Amino acid sequence: MMPLADTHVHLLAGLDDGPPTPDTALAMCRMLVSEGARHATALAHQNADYPENTADRLRASAAALAAVLAEKKIPLAVHATGEVMLSPDTLSDWRAGKLLSIGDHRRWLLVEMPHDAFVDVLPLAEALRPEGVRLVVAHAERYDPLLDDLALAQKWIEAGCLLQVTARAIAEPWEPGFERALKKWAQGGFIHLLGSDGHGIDRRRPALAAGFNRLAKWVGKRHAARIAGEWGRAVLEGEPLTVPPPRPEGRSWFSRLFGD
Ligand SMILES: [Fe+2]
């Protein structure tokens, strides 16, 4: 099986609401390896709740984690990343070097919506694109105005955005309507990356495999492996990535191209 890539997991001990200690972070890394992951973000929030999370602080913490993983021969490559909460200052903060891109490659910026708000990412996506920077929309399934509006999601993708979905949401959708919407996204090519959104080992564990398996039932193994593995690794390593345009009409064309 293709190694999985977790494009959303909090692994920087003590820096946010993720693992409180290095031991917990390490246990999460071991868990990820057992889930089949070989690449993962070492991410922490960058927002007003965590003003001390400068890009340098995240870089140093991720480097320390990588050193421990190497020493203990745990086969997981970790990629320093900020989970950036969108604000009116996002563009200026980026240009001032305050925000940490995925893997620090300055190609992909992981963004989430502000608390209790939904904002249009298009202006930011369009401002960053000429600089060679594109957006990854974190846990995109959380945002009903996006999940329920395929035309909007399509516009964002055409503007270079990738949509990241949480593995647990796919594995255990909490409501039939939500499951239908997610399946439609999956089969229409609206899902590009998988993340566990893991925060610890007791709660919000870094689970990936069940989401991958469910996704494989929806879109076929080959395409699920792209989403959960190949494309995720490319983004974490800062490679450019071209994804097929989404097709709201769904499975027929998609499985022809990408199914088993
Ligand atoms: Fe997160």
Side-chain angles (χ1 to χ4, degrees), residues 220-234:
K221 263 203 180 118
R222 274 171 47 207
H223 189 56
R226 282 186 193 96
I227 294 169
E230 190 187 321
W231 289 350
R233 184 206 55 75

Side-chain angles (χ1 to χ4, degrees), residues 8 10 45 83 139 197 199:
H8 192 141
H10 294 247
H45 286 293
E83 180 178 4
H139 34 64
D197 204 5
H199 279 67

Side-chain angles (χ1 to χ4, degrees), residues 78 129 136 143 222:
V78 291
R129 193 95 194 248
V136 172
Y143 309 123
R222 274 171 47 207

Side-chain angles (χ1 to χ4, degrees), residues 27-52:
M28 290 172 71
C29 290
R30 290 188 200 278
M31 204 177 280
L32 277 170
V33 170
S34 73
E35 288 281 309
R38 293 296 177 271
H39 288 269
T41 56
L43 74 75
H45 286 293
Q46 286 198 287
N47 64 42
D49 293 339
Y50 302 98
E52 285 164 14

Side-chain angles (χ1 to χ4, degrees), residues 93-114:
D93 283 352
W94 167 255
R95 289 188 172 148
K98 292 181 183 173
L99 305 177
L100 185 61
S101 59
I102 295 179
D104 206 8
H105 300 292
R106 303 183 61 83
R107 266 197 193 275
W108 301 97
L109 192 61
L110 180 68
V111 295
E112 65 171 342
M113 293 293 153

Side-chain angles (χ1 to χ4, degrees), residues 4 127 155 164 193 199:
L4 304 184
K155 261 192 210 156
Q164 176 196 73
L193 301 168
H199 279 67

